[in-house]
Amino acid sequence: MSESDIDLPPGAAPAEADRLHDADDRLRPEYVRRVMAHVEAGETESARALVEPLHPADIADLFELVDSDERRALAAALEEVLGGEVLAEMNEHVRDELIDTFEPHEVAEVAGEMETDDAVAMIEDMEEDEQRAVLRALDPDDRAAIEEALTYPLESAGRLMQRDLIAVPEHWTIGQVIDYLRAGAELTTDFWEVFVVDGRHHPVGTCMLSWILRTPRHVAVADVMKREQTLIPVDMDQEEVALRFQKYALISAAVVDGSGRLVGMITVDDIVHIIQEEASEDVLLLSGAGEGDINEPVRESYKSRVRWLIANLATALVAASIIHMFEDTISRMVVLAALMPIVTGVGGNAGTQTLAVTVRALATNQLTQSNTWRAIAREIRVACLNGLTVALLLGVGVAVFLDNSLLGMVIAAAMLTNILIAGLAGVMVPLALDRARADPAVASSIFVTMVTDSIGFLLFLGLATASGLVT
Amino acid sequence: MSESDIDLPPGAAPAEADRLHDADDRLRPEYVRRVMAHVEAGETESARALVEPLHPADIADLFELVDSDERRALAAALEEVLGGEVLAEMNEHVRDELIDTFEPHEVAEVAGEMETDDAVAMIEDMEEDEQRAVLRALDPDDRAAIEEALTYPLESAGRLMQRDLIAVPEHWTIGQVIDYLRAGAELTTDFWEVFVVDGRHHPVGTCMLSWILRTPRHVAVADVMKREQTLIPVDMDQEEVALRFQKYALISAAVVDGSGRLVGMITVDDIVHIIQEEASEDVLLLSGAGEGDINEPVRESYKSRVRWLIANLATALVAASIIHMFEDTISRMVVLAALMPIVTGVGGNAGTQTLAVTVRALATNQLTQSNTWRAIAREIRVACLNGLTVALLLGVGVAVFLDNSLLGMVIAAAMLTNILIAGLAGVMVPLALDRARADPAVASSIFVTMVTDSIGFLLFLGLATASGLVT
C-alpha cells in the first residue's frame, strides 16, 4: 500500500486522493484553491466534479475553510451536492450564516432530507417567525416530529433522539423478528439494535443484530436479549447522555418518556461529537474564552471574552491594592518589586495545574464524595513536593546571586506557602462550586488566580517587612 | 416514571437503584461505605451480593473510589466478580496497582477473558520479565494475538483493533451471507458490520447488518454494501483514528496492513474513551499538569508538574530582570510597582484565551493552511476590541482615582498594546509549533506567558520612563 492510499478519502480513487487530503485527513489548501478558482470563473460543472467524490463531512469542511464572502458563491455552484447530509456536518456558525440566505421552503427541503435530530439542530436557533415559516413548508410527518422535538429542553435527549427505530414484543421468537424485519417495507433501514418492549411499550431489553443473525429461529427473543440496559429519560441533559454512552460503551440506547414508554433512540454517532465538545469545553471555560469556536462571529467572541477580562481586571486591582499597602517597603528596597511577580506567577501556575486536574476529574465523574478527601490530601502532597523544590531553587538562587541570604529565606518561604495555598485553592474551589451545583470550569480560575496573586504579594512583601529585611 | 427509575443502573431493580447511584450516575458514598463495611467484617457473601447487580464499569468505579489500602481486601472479597470485563474498565493506575499483587497465571486468566485490545492495554506497561511470564501462561491463540498486537507501536491502531471479525467475498449474495452467519459455529457473535473483501483479502466495502436483514436473499452483497469506507492503517496513531471515527460517524472500521490486507477492526466503543481523553488532555497540557489523572501516583504527578513549574520559574526570572532594569524608575514612583502586575495579568489572560481557542481548533482539524490568515485576522480583531475596552476602563480609572492623567494614558497604552501582542502570540505560537510538527498544547502557554509578562513590564515601565511621567 502506498502512502497515498493511507489518506484515501471515502469514494475517491487513490491517485486523486493524494491531491484532496493531507496526511492528517484535512483538505489540502491547493485543492480548496482549485475549487474556488472554478467557482469564481463560473465553471460550475468543473467545481461540482471536483467536489462530488468528497464525503459530506469533507464538503462541510470545504465551506468552513473558504472565506465568509466566498461561501455564497460556493453554495450556488454546489447547489446539487449541498444537501441535508452536508449541512448536518457543518459548523453551526457557518451553517447559520449560509441558511440565512435560503428561502424558508429551501430550508424545509434540506430539513426533510435530514434525520430529526439534525433538522432540529439546524432550525432551533432561527428567529421564531422564520422557524414557523420553515415548519409550515415541511411535510406533515417531518413537521410533527420536529415540533415534538422542539418541545423538549435545549441540549436534552429529546432533541438528540431519532424516532425511527425497531421495537418488537417480548413474546416473539427470533424467527418472527427476522420475518418482520425482512417483510416490513415501511421500516427504517439503518439501525444497530432491536429494542424489545412489553405490552405497555416499556423497553425490557435490547438485542444486537448479530445475535439475531447467529441464533436459531425457534429461540425466544427474550432469551437472547440483554436485559441490563441504560434507559435515557427524554429530558436528560446531553452531557449526561454522553457520559452514559462512554461509561457503558453503548452503540444505541432507548429513550423513554416520563411514564417509561419507549419514544426514541439515540445512537453513538450522534454522541461522539458531544463527547468531544463537552471534553474540550473545559479548556475554553477555564480561560474564559466562551464558546471558543474559530467560526464564531467576532462580536460574540468579544462579548464573551471581554466580560472575563474585566473580571480579571477587578481581581488584579485587589492584588494591586495589596502591593499599594507595601509601597513604603518597596521604596526602601526596590528589588522586591522585581522579585514579587515570580512568587505570584509560579504560584498561579501551580494553582492552574491542580485546577485542571480537579475540573477534569469532576467532569468525568471520577471525583465523588467518596474520594474527595483522598484527592485533597493527594494535591497537598504534590504541592508540598513542588513547593519545596521550587522554593529551594529560588531561595538559593536569590541568596547567592543577590548576596542576601535573608532575602533568599523570605522569598523561599513565600514561594513554598503560595504553592501550598495554590494547591489547596486549586482543589477546594472547583469542589465547592461543584457541591453548589455550579460548573467548576466556569468561575474557578478567576478565584484561584485572585488567591495566588493576592496572597503571593501579601506573603512576600509582608514577610520582607516583618523579617526586618527592609530597614 | 419516578426519580429513582431515571438512575436505574443496568441490571438493578428500581428500588435498589435508589441506593446505588446518585443523580449523576455515580456510586453513592453510603453504598461504597456499606460494601467496605462488609469487606472489613469479613462478610464476603454480603459484599458480593451487594456488588453483583453492578455493571462492570461500576465495579471498576468502586475500586477507584475506595482508598488504595482497601483495594486488596476488596479484590479478595470480590474475586469471583473481578474478571476481565471489570479490569478492562478500570483506571490504568488503579489496575496496575491491583495486578501487581496477582500471580502471572492469574493475570493470564483475566487477559484470556478480555478482548485483545483490553488485554494488550493491561499488559503493555508491565516489566518485561513479568510480561513474558504472563504470555507463557496464556493459551496459544490468545498469546499469538497479544504478541502480534505488541509488535505495533504504542497507541496505534494495531493495539486497539480486534482480530475477530466477519469478512465475506464480494461475489456472494445476501442469502449466502445470511447462511454463513447462521451456520458458522466458530464465528464471533458480537459485531455491527460485515466487511466485504476481494480475492486478495483487501476490503472493498462494508455492509450494516440491518441492510443484510432488510434485503432479498438473491441480491449480491456488492450491490448493497457501502463502497466508500475509511480504512485505518495498522500503524495509525489512536488520536488520528479517533478523529476519523468522529468525522465520518463510524461504528466500526477495517484495519489494513501495509499491503492493504484486512487484518482487524476497530469499533466505536473502543474509541469513545480515546475521543474523551484526547479532547480533555489539552487543558492538562496547557497548564503543564502532565497526565493529570487523580489516580496517578504522587511521585509521577510531582515529576511532570515540577518540570513545568521550573520552566515557569525561568521565564519569571526573565520578567524579573526586565523590572530590574527599571528599578530606578520604580524607586522614584513606587505606585508603578502596584500597577504593573495589572498589565501583565490581564494580558496573560487574554493570551490564554486566544491560545485555548487556537489549540482546540488545531486539535479538531478545523484550522488548516487554508484558513490560517483568516484565523489570525479574526484574533487580531477580537484583541483590538478587548484591548480598547480594557485599556479605556483601566486608563480612566487610574487617571481619576490616582488623579494623574498621564499615568492613565501610559497604563492604557501599555494595556492595549499588551492585549494585542497577547492575541498575536496566542494564535501565532501554537500555529508555529503545529507547523513544526510539535504538539501546540505542550509548550505554547510557557511561551505566551513569557511574552505577555516580559513585554507587559517593558511596555508599562518603559513608557512611564520615556513619557516623562517620572521625574
Side-chain angles (χ1 to χ4, degrees):
Chain A
M1 180 179 243
S2 70
E3 259 298 306
S4 64
D5 253 335
I6 289 175
D7 307 318
L8 188 69
E16 179 111 33
D18 219 6
R19 277 170 278 149
L20 301 187
H21 290 81
D22 66 12
D24 289 336
D25 198 38
R26 304 176 295 200
L27 293 175
R28 280 181 193 278
E30 300 79 28
Y31 169 80
V32 175
R33 277 199 297 275
R34 198 139 44 92
V35 174
M36 283 317 299
H38 285 300
V39 170
E40 279 155 24
E43 297 155 7
T44 310
E45 284 301 322
S46 319
R48 203 179 308 147
L50 266 177
V51 172
E52 230 143 31
L54 291 183
H55 186 279
D58 280 313
I59 303 182
D61 281 355
L62 179 63
F63 276 90
E64 294 174 27
L65 289 176
V66 303
D67 283 347
S68 179
D69 50 7
E70 298 174 320
R71 284 179 195 146
R72 202 184 294 203
L74 184 64
L78 299 182
E79 208 187 331
E80 282 168 46
V81 291
L82 185 64
E85 273 190 300
V86 173
L87 283 163
E89 299 282 350
M90 205 175 282
N91 175 283
E92 61 168 316
H93 299 292
V94 177
R95 185 181 59 207
D96 287 352
E97 190 192 292
L98 207 57
I99 60 172
D100 264 357
T101 69
F102 285 16
E103 294 295 318
H105 73 91
E106 291 173 314
V107 180
E109 198 178 305
V110 283
E113 296 167 15
M114 290 176 165
E115 291 185 2
T116 317
D117 56 321
D118 294 323
V120 168
M122 181 172 71
I123 70 170
E124 66 188 359
D125 295 329
M126 293 178 113
E127 303 285 328
E128 209 172 313
D129 51 337
E130 289 175 47
Q131 198 184 77
R132 262 201 304 271
V134 171
L135 286 169
R136 266 196 304 274
L138 275 166
D139 85 45
D141 279 358
D142 291 337
R143 176 178 177 167
I146 292 174
E147 281 184 335
E148 196 210 316
L150 288 172
T151 63
Y152 299 114
L154 272 171
E155 310 207 326
S156 70
R159 295 218 172 184
L160 284 176
M161 71 184 182
Q162 297 154 34
R163 273 149 204 78
D164 277 344
L165 55 83
I166 306 287
V168 299
E170 56 184 329
H171 57 79
W172 276 14
T173 63
I174 291 292
Q176 282 177 292
V177 175
I178 291 178
D179 295 341
Y180 169 70
L181 292 176
R182 298 190 69 78
E186 78 297 341
L187 295 178
T188 177
T189 50
D190 289 12
F191 51 95
W192 304 102
E193 288 176 302
V194 162
F195 297 99
V196 183
V197 291
D198 65 15
R200 296 172 302 162
H201 211 68
H202 289 196
V204 293
T206 53
C207 199
M208 275 178 75
L209 296 187
S210 63
W211 302 342
I212 292 173
L213 277 161
R214 307 272 293 113
T215 304
R217 288 182 64 92
H218 64 81
V219 177
V221 70
D223 293 339
V224 183
M225 70 183 190
K226 189 175 63 158
R227 286 179 188 277
E228 309 80 45
Q229 50 174 346
T230 306
L231 302 178
I232 308 285
V234 74
D235 55 359
M236 182 183 264
D237 186 81
Q238 64 175 22
E239 182 170 7
E240 278 300 309
V241 177
L243 281 174
R244 306 289 160 106
F245 267 78
Q246 267 179 268
K247 179 170 174 184
Y248 300 119
L250 305 176
I251 298 294
S252 57
V255 180
V256 291
D257 66 12
S259 63
R261 284 172 55 88
L262 177 66
V263 291
M265 85 173 163
I266 295 179
T267 51
V268 68
D269 50 312
D270 297 321
I271 292 297
V272 284
H273 75 274
I274 293 173
I275 294 178
Q276 205 278 332
E277 264 174 40
E278 298 284 346
S280 65
E281 104 186 341
D282 285 345
V283 60
L284 299 166
L285 291 175
L286 276 176
S287 66
E291 220 189 293
D293 190 296
I294 57 163
N295 295 299
E296 193 184 39
V298 168
R299 195 165 21 86
E300 300 291 315
S301 299
Y302 164 64
K303 273 202 285 188
S304 55
R305 292 197 213 169
V306 82
R307 206 180 308 150
W308 191 263
L309 293 178
I310 290 171
N312 212 257
L313 183 60
T315 65
L317 288 174
V318 175
S321 69
I322 287 172
I323 302 173
H324 183 59
M325 288 165 24
F326 292 97
E327 274 179 12
D328 182 44
T329 304
I330 293 173
S331 68
R332 280 187 280 158
M333 191 176 187
V334 75
V335 74
L336 295 179
L339 295 174
M340 66 187 188
I342 302 177
V343 176
T344 54
V346 179
N349 209 286
T352 309
Q353 290 180 335
T354 308
L355 196 54
V357 172
T358 308
V359 164
R360 181 171 182 252
L362 283 168
T364 52
N365 277 347
Q366 279 193 78
L367 187 49
T368 77
Q369 262 192 58
S370 302
N371 56 357
T372 297
W373 288 109
R374 176 149 45 93
I376 295 173
R378 188 182 169 281
E379 289 306 323
I380 294 175
R381 286 164 65 199
V382 177
C384 280
L385 292 169
N386 283 338
L388 286 171
T389 310
V390 175
L392 188 71
L393 279 172
L394 182 59
V396 170
V398 165
V400 170
F401 288 102
L402 298 183
D403 194 19
N404 186 336
S405 53
L406 183 54
L407 181 57
M409 278 190 274
V410 163
I411 202 168
M415 189 76 259
L416 171 62
T417 317
N418 204 25
I419 289 181
L420 281 174
I421 287 168
L424 259 181
V427 64
M428 302 291 279
V429 170
L431 275 168
L433 287 169
D434 184 64
R435 205 53 51 89
R437 308 299 293 174
D439 186 342
V442 176
S444 293
S445 71
I446 285 267
F447 272 113
V448 172
T449 311
M450 189 173 73
V451 168
T452 54
D453 273 5
S454 308
I455 304 217
F457 289 131
L458 187 63
L459 279 168
F460 180 55
L461 297 174
L463 280 175
T465 310
S467 66
L469 177 68
V470 182
T471 46
Chain B
M1 180 179 242
S2 71
E3 259 299 306
S4 64
D5 253 337
I6 290 176
D7 308 317
L8 188 68
E16 180 110 33
D18 219 6
R19 277 170 278 149
L20 301 187
H21 290 80
D22 66 12
D24 289 334
D25 198 38
R26 304 176 295 199
L27 293 175
R28 280 180 194 278
E30 301 78 30
Y31 170 77
V32 176
R33 277 199 297 274
R34 200 140 40 94
V35 174
M36 283 317 299
H38 285 300
V39 170
E40 279 155 25
E43 297 155 9
T44 311
E45 285 302 323
S46 318
R48 204 179 308 148
L50 267 177
V51 172
E52 231 143 32
L54 290 183
H55 186 280
D58 280 313
I59 303 182
D61 281 356
L62 179 63
F63 276 90
E64 293 173 28
L65 288 176
V66 303
D67 284 347
S68 179
D69 50 6
E70 299 175 321
R71 284 178 195 146
R72 201 183 294 202
L74 185 62
L78 299 182
E79 209 187 332
E80 282 167 46
V81 290
L82 185 63
E85 273 191 296
V86 173
L87 283 163
E89 300 282 351
M90 204 176 282
N91 176 282
E92 59 170 316
H93 300 291
V94 177
R95 185 181 58 207
D96 288 352
E97 191 193 291
L98 207 56
I99 63 172
D100 264 357
T101 69
F102 284 16
E103 293 297 317
H105 73 91
E106 290 172 316
V107 181
E109 198 178 306
V110 282
E113 295 166 16
M114 290 174 165
E115 292 184 3
T116 317
D117 57 321
D118 293 324
V120 168
M122 180 172 70
I123 71 170
E124 66 187 359
D125 294 328
M126 293 179 114
E127 303 286 327
E128 211 174 311
D129 51 336
E130 288 175 47
Q131 196 183 77
R132 263 200 304 270
V134 171
L135 286 170
R136 268 196 304 273
L138 276 167
D139 86 46
D141 280 359
D142 289 338
R143 176 177 175 168
I146 292 174
E147 282 184 334
E148 197 210 316
L150 287 172
T151 64
Y152 299 114
L154 271 171
E155 309 207 327
S156 70
R159 296 216 172 187
L160 284 176
M161 73 185 181
Q162 297 153 35
R163 273 148 203 81
D164 278 344
L165 55 81
I166 307 287
V168 299
E170 54 184 330
H171 57 78
W172 276 13
T173 63
I174 291 291
Q176 283 176 292
V177 175
I178 291 178
D179 295 342
Y180 169 69
L181 290 176
R182 298 190 68 77
E186 77 298 339
L187 296 177
T188 177
T189 48
D190 288 14
F191 51 95
W192 305 102
E193 286 176 303
V194 162
F195 297 100
V196 184
V197 292
D198 64 14
R200 297 171 303 161
H201 211 70
H202 289 196
V204 293
T206 52
C207 198
M208 274 178 75
L209 296 187
S210 63
W211 300 344
I212 292 173
L213 278 161
R214 306 274 292 115
T215 305
R217 287 183 65 93
H218 63 84
V219 176
V221 70
D223 293 338
V224 184
M225 70 184 189
K226 189 175 64 158
R227 287 181 187 278
E228 309 82 44
Q229 50 173 346
T230 306
L231 301 179
I232 308 286
V234 75
D235 56 358
M236 182 182 264
D237 185 80
Q238 64 175 22
E239 182 168 8
E240 279 300 311
V241 177
L243 282 173
R244 307 289 159 106
F245 266 79
Q246 266 180 271
K247 178 169 173 184
Y248 300 118
L250 306 175
I251 298 294
S252 57
V255 180
V256 292
D257 66 12
S259 64
R261 283 172 55 87
L262 177 65
V263 291
M265 85 172 164
I266 295 179
T267 51
V268 68
D269 50 312
D270 297 320
I271 292 296
V272 284
H273 73 275
I274 294 172
I275 295 177
Q276 205 279 331
E277 264 174 40
E278 298 284 344
S280 65
E281 96 184 348
D282 285 346
V283 60
L284 299 166
L285 290 174
L286 277 176
S287 66
E291 219 189 293
D293 190 297
I294 56 162
N295 294 299
E296 194 183 36
V298 167
R299 196 164 21 86
E300 301 290 316
S301 300
Y302 164 63
K303 273 202 286 190
S304 56
R305 292 198 212 168
V306 82
R307 206 180 306 151
W308 191 262
L309 293 179
I310 290 172
N312 213 259
L313 183 59
T315 65
L317 288 174
V318 174
S321 68
I322 287 172
I323 302 172
H324 183 60
M325 288 164 26
F326 292 97
E327 275 180 11
D328 182 46
T329 305
I330 294 172
S331 69
R332 280 187 281 158
M333 190 176 187
V334 76
V335 73
L336 297 178
L339 295 175
M340 66 188 186
I342 301 176
V343 176
T344 54
V346 179
N349 210 287
T352 308
Q353 289 180 335
T354 309
L355 196 54
V357 172
T358 309
V359 164
R360 181 170 182 252
L362 283 168
T364 52
N365 276 348
Q366 278 194 79
L367 188 48
T368 79
Q369 262 193 60
S370 304
N371 56 357
T372 297
W373 288 110
R374 177 151 44 95
I376 295 173
R378 186 182 170 282
E379 288 307 321
I380 294 174
R381 286 163 65 201
V382 177
C384 280
L385 291 170
N386 283 337
L388 287 170
T389 311
V390 174
L392 188 72
L393 279 172
L394 182 59
V396 169
V398 165
V400 170
F401 288 102
L402 298 183
D403 195 20
N404 185 335
S405 53
L406 183 53
L407 180 57
M409 278 190 274
V410 164
I411 202 167
M415 189 75 260
L416 171 62
T417 317
N418 204 27
I419 288 181
L420 281 175
I421 287 170
L424 259 181
V427 66
M428 302 291 276
V429 170
L431 276 169
L433 287 169
D434 184 62
R435 206 53 51 89
R437 310 295 296 170
D439 186 341
V442 176
S444 294
S445 70
I446 285 268
F447 272 113
V448 172
T449 311
M450 189 174 72
V451 168
T452 53
D453 274 5
S454 309
I455 305 217
F457 289 130
L458 186 63
L459 279 168
F460 179 56
L461 296 175
L463 280 176
T465 309
S467 66
L469 177 69
V470 181
T471 47

